[in-house]
Amino acid sequence: MKIQSFLILVLLVFSSTLTMSGQVKSDNVNIEKDFFPFSVWYSGGKARAPMLSKITESSEAEWRKDLQQIKDLGFNTVRTWVEWATCEPEPGKYNFENLELLMTLAEEVGLRVFIQVYVDSAPDWVAHNFPHALFEAQSGDIVVPQSAPGACMDNKEVEDAILNFYKETAKVANKYPNLFGWDLWSEPHIINWASLDYVPNIQFCFCDGTQNRFRIWLKEKYQTLDNLNKAWYRNFTDWNQVEAPRFSTILSYTDFVDWKTFIYEKLVGDMQARYDAIREIDHTSLITAHAVGASLFQSPHVGAGATDDFLMARPLDYYGVSIYPKHNRPEGAWSTTTLRTVMDFTRSANRENGGWFVGELQGGLGTISLLISDPVTSNDHSIWAWSAIAKGAKGVNIYAYYPMSTGYEAGGYGLINLDGTLTERSVNAGKIADVVNKNQELFLKGIPVKAKVGIVYNPLTQMVGGMQRRDYPAAMSQSLIGYFQSFANHNVPVDFIHREHIEKGELSQYKLIILPYPIMFTQEAAKELREFVSNGGYILAEARFGWNDERGFASEIIPGLGMHDIFGAREDEVRMRENVTFTVNGDNHPVLKGFKSGDLLNGSLYSQSVKLLENSNAKVLATTYEGDPAIISSQYGKGEAILAGTYLGMANFSEIVPNNDKFFLNLLNWAKIKRPFTTSEDGRSSNQIEVRLQDSDKGYLLFLINHSVNNETIEIDLKVDYDGIFTLRDVINEESKNINSRGNILKLNLSVNSRNASVFEIYRNE
């Protein structure tokens, strides 16, 4: 359920129809997103999820007391769960007495119910009846479940049983008027809740069901066996001979790319099947799921089965994430950058959904066996909850009400104490919930201001080298975060965008596209990127752009995929170095404003020099240690493109490099981007004062998140469409005052307490 480590990732296309309105797609379904749940996880008694308490004569009174206390604290929803192993102990014989009692009591006290469905812990009869469907590792080892991890859904008997369980649960829940919504899958992977250390570099799943499903996928992609043989460099004579790769070779690694791409597509298909099962019964309730953490931090080389948040969000009304900034061990606590990255990445992945959910928000200190985090405080919850809402979250679910009663997490993650007594943080969390509940419409309709900067998330880059490559597993995430944290520290709105957004030409809101670590790219994305620049867009691409195409084939010229003409240059030499510095040529370009000749920019991993093409209009902005062109800018059509022969973003992770930071901020002026606001505290690289702006029906929502240990005062220049008198309403403290704007600038001088947040509604008086 929680994060021991951020796992895995890769991707491919999964089609689905989405809208940007306040309603959600789905055939013949019209879901109004008209309620903001602020909940705690509780399922009756003190059993930890996914376990369920045995009902006794005293259960009704005890549960009613707990639910009333949850309501009295300020929460509007309770997040309960059902577990397959307990609720279907025999095939076709269902037991939902826990769910029915909880929903009845929750309705009595005035709480809505949000249902988490768990099928990763399967009834014992599943393994007994369907031994052919057990998970199989690449070594051939079969996983006999100990309740978890269940069996493989790629086998029809297991799939039917799982989907029937979803439908039967929906039939019961749908009878209750206080049903709010569903979470279909907690932290999706192929295999969950099992540590199988006896197989090195374990990968899943290689059972016959998955192999057959993979063959069907390959037939759709390649059409003929001859085409597959050409791609994989093989000699199959029958489709039944085709199997997923279990190890690497020196030859083509297209088989690895196909296998990992299939896995990520498969997981989206599994999510869609669960969604459709609920929708068959329940036509109106909100349907979500939530990831273990932002897929930006995941890698396809870990075998439990990773996900791509952008793809997983597509079948759902909202996709969410687990947030455990103090999961275990004090030294493992999240930085401000990590917290913001996880939230903004999840927000970006839900771009078409218009919002996202905090599926799990850490309630109390974390424990993993003997490991214990620092205490979770009321200030932590203020920072975490308001940060999420500021970034467009439309639901917050705190995990959990009671601490874990059993297992290696025993005693951890509780909002209250195990003896039922309240904590200071539970009272504070309830107050936050109460503010949200009193301002439902305000927070539901608030939309983060549109970003003009897009940082490209392209997990294909993790495929280069195939199964063999494990040298730099964090290169992609560090490269993206290196750019993101600079913009975030300067309070510049920025999105993560998927490579598929480029392939589909969905770039109209952006003026600047940054392509960190772009060593594998697709022909279709390159084509649309060319169109973007030609029509007046600005791009920055890093070293060895398009080194490999989507098949894993090397480009004849780098930058690859024919993109060398956009940059007006081709790769000359590349050197691999631990420390890379480029020398700036002076202030001869907008991105070099404030630099002088001889200043250095820091790179990482590669030092790539280029040769300018004949008749190139490229300007050399910086040179390698050897004095060769390394960063160049070239006009193409109505736009302009910069090629940087190293990984500037990776070098800016995790510590900010001042010159890199300045260079990144200069990109905004280069791309003619007008910021919606500026602040007196922009650019802090520690103790940040985070400012987030949302558009609302009446005007704006302004969030101040003080990550500093000090009380802070901040000046904000907010651009407005016209001058006049504006009302500034403190949403948390319920206080208001009027302010005049001048020159279309609303000047604000605001204070925010240490490790806390302030929220203001701003609107012009008529």
Side-chain angles (χ1 to χ4, degrees), residues 187-213:
E187 302 175 354
H189 299 105
I190 293 172
I191 187 169
N192 264 342
W193 305 343
S195 299
L196 306 161
D197 299 332
Y198 52 86
V199 178
N201 301 317
I202 198 164
Q203 303 281 318
F204 289 104
C205 177
F206 291 81
C207 73
D208 288 344
T210 303
Q211 298 280 18
N212 288 331
R213 190 170 171 181

Side-chain angles (χ1 to χ4, degrees), residues 1-3 41 49 79-81 114-118 120 182-189 192-193 271 287-294 298 307 309 312-313 316 318-324 346 350 356-361 395 397 399:
M1 231 167 349
K2 298 180 195 56
I3 315 167
W41 286 62
R79 174 99 166 216
T80 192
W81 58 86
F114 195 107
I115 301 175
Q116 178 72 57
V117 184
Y118 286 117
D120 295 292
W182 301 86
D183 189 302
L184 304 178
W185 203 345
S186 174
E187 302 175 354
H189 299 105
N192 264 342
W193 305 343
M271 184 73 82
I287 299 180
T288 71
H290 67 280
V292 66
Q298 301 177 11
T307 55
D309 293 346
M312 296 297 279
L316 300 165
Y318 290 129
Y319 194 47
V321 68
S322 292
I323 295 175
Y324 288 88
T346 307
N350 281 272
W356 59 283
F357 264 38
V358 180
E360 301 178 34
L361 181 67
N397 302 274
Y399 189 94

